[in-house]
Amino acid sequence: MAEDDLVVCSRNLSAAIARDASALEDQVWAPFGFLSHTSAHQAYYSTILEEHADLQLCLVSAASGKPVALVNCVPFSFTGDLNNLPAEGWDWLVETGGNPAAKPANVLGALAVSVSTEHRGKGYARRMIQELKALAVRRRLDAVVVPVRPSAKSTHPFVPMDTYMHWRDDRGECFDPWLRSHLSQGARIIRSCERSMVVKEHVAFWETWAGRRFSVSDRYAFEGGLAPVSISLEHDTGRYEEPNVWVGYQL
């Protein structure tokens, strides 16, 4: 699809765009549906998308009129040093954006970049990050921050994120493809956020996602997880703490 066949618009352009954007996001994130069970996601995410619909960007095919990529974000107020962003990551960003401070927002936080399966590998994810930065400039915000979910970390679930995020490939570049994409566009790594998304559910919930039974209390890797889930049969709970990586764009 040629660049001139694509149009960037906000989610609130029309009811059809909003509907198709929701469908695309559901399709892209279905394999990671366990992440929608964080308390922050359930309490604030839908409200953020509605109240800030003008900030949710869609890359739309002019031919079909349907979005092929999305970026969701939330503005928030942060008066401290961005080097001190918290270990809670995505959940903190959603809670902070969902409970706006009295002070005007000065930072834009990215929540998700979604690209339809059939259009991956075309640079659309990078395009959406560029559009996000341009949006922040238009809104006269100071920075863009992203709790990045490294795309290849799920193949190394027991490696600490503080170690993984510094891995380099044979060319000396960042090992992780999604982190590498951000760095190539001018981002800098701020720090890991070890408790970016926290999901605590019954053991049966995690057995469904893992596709297996847990016979003893232990830490288990499962498909799509960036870290193992800690299973306690005695308490009938499984706790998953997803590590992400804070990156920042100074504007």
Side-chain angles (χ1 to χ4, degrees):
M1 190 179 299
E3 284 291 320
D4 55 5
D5 292 330
L6 301 171
V7 178
V8 177
C9 67
S10 298
R11 183 188 180 102
N12 65 347
L13 179 65
S14 70
I17 291 294
R19 181 190 64 243
D20 291 339
S22 294
L24 173 57
E25 188 175 13
D26 289 344
Q27 175 243 323
V28 169
W29 292 95
F32 315 104
F34 55 91
L35 294 176
S36 66
H37 289 259
T38 78
S39 58
H41 192 293
Q42 295 182 341
Y44 301 110
Y45 190 63
S46 294
T47 301
I48 286 172
L49 297 188
E50 292 172 5
E51 293 187 351
H52 298 287
D54 59 320
L55 302 181
Q56 314 311 317
L57 302 181
C58 305
L59 188 63
V60 177
S61 164
S64 68
K66 294 183 177 295
V68 297
L70 317 168
V71 61
N72 296 331
C73 60
V74 64
F76 66 102
S77 175
F78 192 80
T79 56
D81 185 343
L82 289 178
N83 291 317
N84 295 324
L85 286 168
E88 283 67 34
W90 194 95
D91 282 349
W92 172 85
L93 183 56
V94 170
E95 290 177 3
T96 302
N99 292 289
K103 297 180 180 180
N106 64 321
V107 180
L108 192 62
L111 300 175
V113 176
S114 309
V115 180
S116 60
T117 305
E118 63 270 30
H119 291 294
R120 291 177 185 170
K122 299 179 180 180
Y124 293 166
R126 291 189 181 191
R127 168 76 180 274
M128 297 316 291
I129 292 296
Q130 292 168 3
E131 296 293 343
L132 186 70
K133 292 190 291 181
L135 172 64
V137 170
R138 291 195 300 273
R139 296 294 176 115
R140 298 184 179 181
L141 301 176
D142 298 331
V144 171
V145 296
V146 190
V148 174
R149 188 176 201 266
S151 56
K153 177 65 170 68
S154 61
T155 59
H156 308 278
F158 289 97
V159 176
M161 186 61 84
D162 271 330
T163 299
Y164 176 83
M165 69 185 191
H166 294 298
W167 281 1
R168 294 291 179 266
D169 62 17
D170 294 339
R171 297 170 296 180
E173 297 180 348
C174 182
F175 171 81
D176 187 83
W178 191 215
L179 270 177
R180 188 166 63 245
S181 290
H182 280 280
L183 295 176
S184 71
Q185 295 182 81
R188 68 179 182 91
I189 291 178
I190 297 174
R191 58 165 296 183
S192 64
C193 37
E194 298 293 336
R195 298 183 301 278
S196 188
M197 304 186 79
V198 178
V199 181
K200 185 178 181 181
E201 289 287 350
H202 295 297
V203 171
F205 172 92
W206 291 110
E207 287 180 334
T208 298
W209 278 104
R212 59 164 295 180
R213 297 294 300 271
F214 299 128
S215 57
V216 297
S217 298
D218 203 345
R219 299 169 70 229
Y220 295 89
F222 64 100
E223 187 172 358
L226 304 193
V229 57
S230 296
I231 297 294
S232 171
L233 297 181
E234 295 77 11
H235 297 95
D236 188 29
T237 59
R239 183 179 175 89
Y240 172 72
E241 296 184 354
E242 172 158 305
N244 291 167
V245 179
W246 279 117
V247 306
Y249 294 88
Q250 197 69 37
L251 306 177

